[in-house]
Amino acid sequence: MSIRIGILGYGNLGRGVESAIAHNEDMELVGVFTRRNPENVKVRTAGVKVLEASELEHMQDQIDVLVLCGGSATDLPAQTPKYAADYNVVDSFDTHARIPEHFADVDAAAKKGGKIGIISCGWDPGMFSLNRLYANCILPEGQDYTFWGKGVSQGHSDAVRRIEGVKDARQYTIPVPEALDAVRSGKNPELTTRQKHTRECFVVAKEGADLAKIEEEIKTMPNYFADYDTTVHFISEEEMKRDHSGLPHGGCVIRTGVTGMDNEHKHVIEYNLKLDSNPEFTGSVIVAYARAAYRMSKEGMSGCKTVFDIAPAYLSSRSAEDLRAHLL
Amino acid sequence: MSIRIGILGYGNLGRGVESAIAHNEDMELVGVFTRRNPENVKVRTAGVKVLEASELEHMQDQIDVLVLCGGSATDLPAQTPKYAADYNVVDSFDTHARIPEHFADVDAAAKKGGKIGIISCGWDPGMFSLNRLYANCILPEGQDYTFWGKGVSQGHSDAVRRIEGVKDARQYTIPVPEALDAVRSGKNPELTTRQKHTRECFVVAKEGADLAKIEEEIKTMPNYFADYDTTVHFISEEEMKRDHSGLPHGGCVIRTGVTGMDNEHKHVIEYNLKLDSNPEFTGSVIVAYARAAYRMSKEGMSGCKTVFDIAPAYLSSRSAEDLRAHLL
């Protein structure tokens, strides 16, 4: 019998989860739930219904795991605890500073409902977190580095779009090659924000807009750009559509550390992702953890879990014997 | 209170485990156990006793986890089940084909004794296996690649040493850069053994030995060299000591795969290790899993486990709250 998945929220991530389900033979998409008018939402999986979110009030028997694809700012802090009382859920909550609070809320609800709630699932937080943890445990004396990109940052693109005179914008985060080389060589450099990443913006300006003013506003924007070397390119709408319609991303987590009775040996552990589609990859991680939620729930577990709490074998549809014989 | 570790077998790996214990503040080395005469074994940790292996018959109260540092060919198949009946144990059993059988033997003994037995721990099997598993679960449609090196293969070095006229030898396994590039670019190449790795041998010949014959014997040796492009260098004993006394190693696990309703997006996941000391890094992984064995045992679990069965948080000395707040 398939694992029956529901998706709440059908933006980029919801579509990424839908595509991931299509790649996993033991899973089935039961329905896409939306707060919009379902008639205006068109999904890509044949035969799958789009339903109002309110339908989730009485579909507990039809869904094994509900994947929550809302935003971390306002959607998930309310949605994940709410639905964890009735469903096994997985979210991709990524406001690092608020994770402890979110965990507590989801844990209380999930325990009360006897369900599993997996939070902060994706690649960062998610696979990058896992690799930070494993590498820290193996090399207790060392240094962590995380680089993002080259890839589109949606938050930064949105920030540029909010500037007066900007019609559309896309922002790429790019690791500085010299910084990456220095880290990989084991030199343990101390790197400032500016030394680690550069930012590149492609902007479609409205007719008659003051380009110099837009560029200045981008480059001096606090938090988002002021601490970085930023390049701004003004392009046409056609160029934007032709060259920048994808959502590629990636990056790497590197830990360098020492072993030996006199710290005489250096080691470099690197986990590296190159992703053509950020939301589809994130959706693929989430779906693997949805399988884990289903299996842990079947075994009678409940409460909030993160990638740290879940034995890797739970992510796989293959038996423990098969995994040991072929992947160990 | 510290986690009290015993080491059985004091070769390269035993010394690597000893060094790893010194880097973990919550651990303490109780003793090194040997089948040799303890008087002939000198350990590097101040105050630590070297004892005969037979002493393990009555030290159950003094050791929380026993790390088994013997070889996979004959030592571990007997030792790990034997000691798993009385101790939480960790080994680095690496004969891939015999893992199912070894698992069954250790599982039966550990369950009977109410202990945890972790097998096949290190980097391959170990961290490489974990990364194969995670990447397979995230990208079910894709292809796996494992490259080893550049690094010293002890098995291949030993094979060269057994050739008549050879006094000493060191063999390096080297990934072919073009193959690595093709894999990383997402081209999904089909690669033969010869296309993936080359082998480089440094040989000290005995006086008067027939160098051409040694080189020919190496290059045509079945299983070890015949399927590879191999280079042989004859060097002096001084050069061997000066340039080849380390045991560096490393390599990478790469999975490339597709997502999207039409498989339109490619992704590359890479886990990469560059190690100055193979035995010390392996020892560091083993010691992190020794902590997991201790904690799982404290929680009342028993039986044989592999890296697939162990939730990552068990490897860390930090609390779940701390991990969520700082590493997620």
Side-chain angles (χ1 to χ4, degrees):
Chain A
M1 207 181 80
S2 295
I3 304 173
R4 300 164 304 168
I5 310 277
I7 293 174
L8 175 59
Y10 197 67
N12 284 327
L13 181 58
R15 282 190 287 272
V17 171
E18 179 185 23
S19 127
I21 293 169
H23 285 268
N24 282 278
E25 289 183 357
D26 61 338
M27 303 206 173
E28 177 198 339
L29 178 57
V30 175
V32 168
F33 300 85
T34 177
R35 289 172 299 179
R36 293 182 268 169
N37 181 345
E39 286 175 22
N40 298 336
V41 176
K42 229 189 132 184
V43 299
R44 290 176 298 169
T45 310
V48 165
K49 280 176 287 194
V50 181
L51 299 166
E52 282 184 24
S54 60
E55 296 289 323
L56 286 167
E57 282 164 32
H58 57 79
M59 290 186 66
Q60 289 83 343
D61 292 346
Q62 296 163 61
I63 294 171
D64 294 313
V65 186
L66 181 64
V67 178
L68 305 173
C69 298
S72 295
T74 56
D75 297 334
L76 298 176
Q79 283 178 357
T80 315
K82 174 180 167 168
Y83 291 107
D86 284 329
Y87 293 91
N88 297 312
V89 297
V90 185
D91 80 17
S92 61
F93 185 78
D94 66 357
T95 312
H96 288 263
R98 296 185 60 193
I99 284 174
E101 179 188 343
H102 190 55
F103 183 92
D105 293 345
V106 175
D107 196 47
K111 277 187 177 144
K112 207 168 157 186
K115 300 291 178 184
I116 292 281
I118 300 178
I119 63 162
S120 302
C121 196
W123 58 277
D124 195 8
M127 298 313 295
F128 273 19
S129 323
L130 264 183
N131 278 280
R132 281 188 282 267
L133 174 57
Y134 278 119
N136 270 269
C137 296
I138 297 170
L139 297 174
E141 270 159 82
Q143 213 157 337
D144 290 310
Y145 298 89
T146 302
F147 290 91
W148 293 274
K150 181 181 175 173
V152 174
S153 162
Q154 313 236 44
H156 286 77
S157 300
D158 290 344
V160 175
R161 275 188 214 107
R162 286 192 293 265
I163 293 173
E164 201 190 311
V166 171
K167 198 168 179 184
D168 197 5
R170 204 75 81 253
Q171 194 269 182
Y172 294 88
T173 306
I174 306 167
V176 174
E178 293 75 20
L180 262 175
D181 288 347
V183 168
R184 286 186 180 134
S185 74
K187 280 182 193 144
N188 282 358
E190 296 274 345
L191 297 165
T192 63
T193 298
R194 193 177 299 274
Q195 287 169 325
K196 284 183 72 185
H197 296 93
T198 54
R199 298 195 177 279
E200 189 171 22
C201 302
F202 294 86
V203 179
V204 180
K206 289 180 184 159
E207 223 179 288
D210 183 341
L211 303 190
K213 189 160 167 271
I214 290 173
E215 180 163 348
E216 179 65 16
E217 255 189 80
I218 294 173
K219 290 185 171 177
T220 58
M221 195 185 295
N223 302 319
Y224 285 89
F225 293 98
D227 298 335
Y228 298 85
D229 290 335
T230 301
T231 324
V232 178
H233 310 276
F234 291 96
I235 61 173
S236 68
E237 265 191 286
E238 293 67 39
E239 287 171 307
M240 179 65 81
K241 202 171 170 181
R242 188 191 66 205
D243 302 331
H244 305 283
S245 58
L247 291 170
H249 219 312
C252 57
V253 169
I254 301 176
R255 185 164 175 89
T256 54
V258 292
T259 64
M261 298 306 276
D262 302 309
N263 296 341
E264 65 271 37
H265 293 125
K266 281 200 282 195
H267 306 274
V268 182
I269 305 175
E270 174 170 349
Y271 180 76
N272 192 309
L273 297 176
K274 288 192 198 76
L275 314 176
D276 270 3
S277 165
N278 181 355
E280 288 178 6
F281 188 83
T282 303
S284 300
V285 177
I286 286 176
V287 158
Y289 277 95
R291 180 182 294 116
Y294 171 77
R295 295 180 56 194
M296 294 169 91
S297 174
K298 281 267 173 201
E299 290 184 11
M301 299 184 212
S302 68
C304 188
K305 309 282 176 193
T306 75
V307 295
F308 295 162
D309 309 310
I310 298 171
Y314 280 112
L315 307 188
S316 177
S317 59
R318 296 161 70 173
S319 72
E321 291 76 19
D322 186 15
L323 294 178
R324 278 195 296 275
H326 298 111
L327 288 181
L328 196 63
Chain B
M1 208 182 79
S2 296
I3 303 173
R4 301 165 302 171
I5 311 278
I7 294 174
L8 175 59
Y10 197 66
N12 284 326
L13 181 58
R15 283 189 288 271
V17 171
E18 179 185 23
S19 128
I21 293 168
H23 284 269
N24 282 278
E25 289 183 357
D26 62 338
M27 302 206 174
E28 178 197 338
L29 178 56
V30 174
V32 168
F33 300 85
T34 178
R35 288 171 299 180
R36 293 182 269 169
N37 181 346
E39 286 175 22
N40 298 336
V41 175
K42 231 190 128 182
V43 299
R44 290 176 299 169
T45 309
V48 165
K49 279 175 288 195
V50 181
L51 299 166
E52 283 185 23
S54 60
E55 296 289 321
L56 286 167
E57 281 165 32
H58 57 80
M59 290 187 66
Q60 288 85 344
D61 293 345
Q62 296 164 60
I63 294 172
D64 294 313
V65 187
L66 181 64
V67 178
L68 305 173
C69 298
S72 294
T74 56
D75 296 335
L76 298 176
Q79 284 178 355
T80 315
K82 173 181 167 163
Y83 291 106
D86 284 328
Y87 293 92
N88 297 311
V89 297
V90 185
D91 79 18
S92 61
F93 185 77
D94 66 357
T95 311
H96 288 263
R98 294 185 61 192
I99 284 175
E101 178 189 343
H102 189 56
F103 182 92
D105 292 345
V106 176
D107 196 46
K111 278 188 176 142
K112 207 167 159 187
K115 299 292 178 185
I116 293 280
I118 300 178
I119 62 162
S120 302
C121 197
W123 59 276
D124 195 7
M127 299 312 295
F128 274 18
S129 323
L130 264 183
N131 277 280
R132 280 189 283 266
L133 175 58
Y134 278 120
N136 270 269
C137 295
I138 297 171
L139 297 174
E141 270 159 82
Q143 213 155 339
D144 290 310
Y145 298 88
T146 302
F147 290 90
W148 293 273
K150 182 181 174 175
V152 174
S153 162
Q154 313 236 47
H156 286 77
S157 300
D158 289 344
V160 175
R161 275 188 215 106
R162 286 191 292 265
I163 293 173
E164 201 190 311
V166 171
K167 196 169 181 184
D168 197 4
R170 204 76 81 251
Q171 193 270 181
Y172 293 89
T173 306
I174 306 166
V176 175
E178 294 74 21
L180 263 174
D181 289 347
V183 169
R184 285 184 180 135
S185 74
K187 280 181 193 146
N188 282 358
E190 297 274 346
L191 297 166
T192 63
T193 299
R194 192 176 300 273
Q195 286 170 325
K196 285 183 72 186
H197 296 93
T198 54
R199 300 196 177 278
E200 189 170 22
C201 302
F202 293 86
V203 178
V204 180
K206 289 182 185 160
E207 224 181 285
D210 181 341
L211 303 190
K213 191 161 166 267
I214 291 174
E215 179 163 347
E216 178 65 16
E217 255 190 80
I218 294 174
K219 290 186 170 177
T220 57
M221 196 186 295
N223 302 318
Y224 285 89
F225 293 98
D227 298 335
Y228 299 84
D229 289 336
T230 302
T231 324
V232 178
H233 309 276
F234 290 96
I235 60 174
S236 69
E237 265 190 289
E238 293 68 40
E239 287 170 306
M240 178 64 81
K241 203 172 170 180
R242 186 189 70 206
D243 303 332
H244 304 284
S245 59
L247 291 171
H249 219 312
C252 58
V253 169
I254 301 176
R255 185 166 176 88
T256 56
V258 292
T259 65
M261 298 306 276
D262 303 307
N263 295 342
E264 65 270 36
H265 292 126
K266 280 198 283 195
H267 306 274
V268 182
I269 305 174
E270 174 169 350
Y271 180 76
N272 193 309
L273 297 176
K274 288 191 197 77
L275 314 175
D276 270 3
S277 164
N278 182 356
E280 288 179 6
F281 188 83
T282 303
S284 300
V285 176
I286 285 176
V287 158
Y289 278 94
R291 180 182 293 114
Y294 171 76
R295 295 180 56 195
M296 295 168 90
S297 175
K298 280 265 172 205
E299 291 184 12
M301 298 184 213
S302 68
C304 189
K305 309 282 176 193
T306 75
V307 294
F308 295 161
D309 308 310
I310 298 171
Y314 279 112
L315 306 189
S316 177
S317 59
R318 297 161 70 174
S319 72
E321 292 75 18
D322 186 16
L323 294 178
R324 278 195 295 274
H326 298 111
L327 288 182
L328 197 64

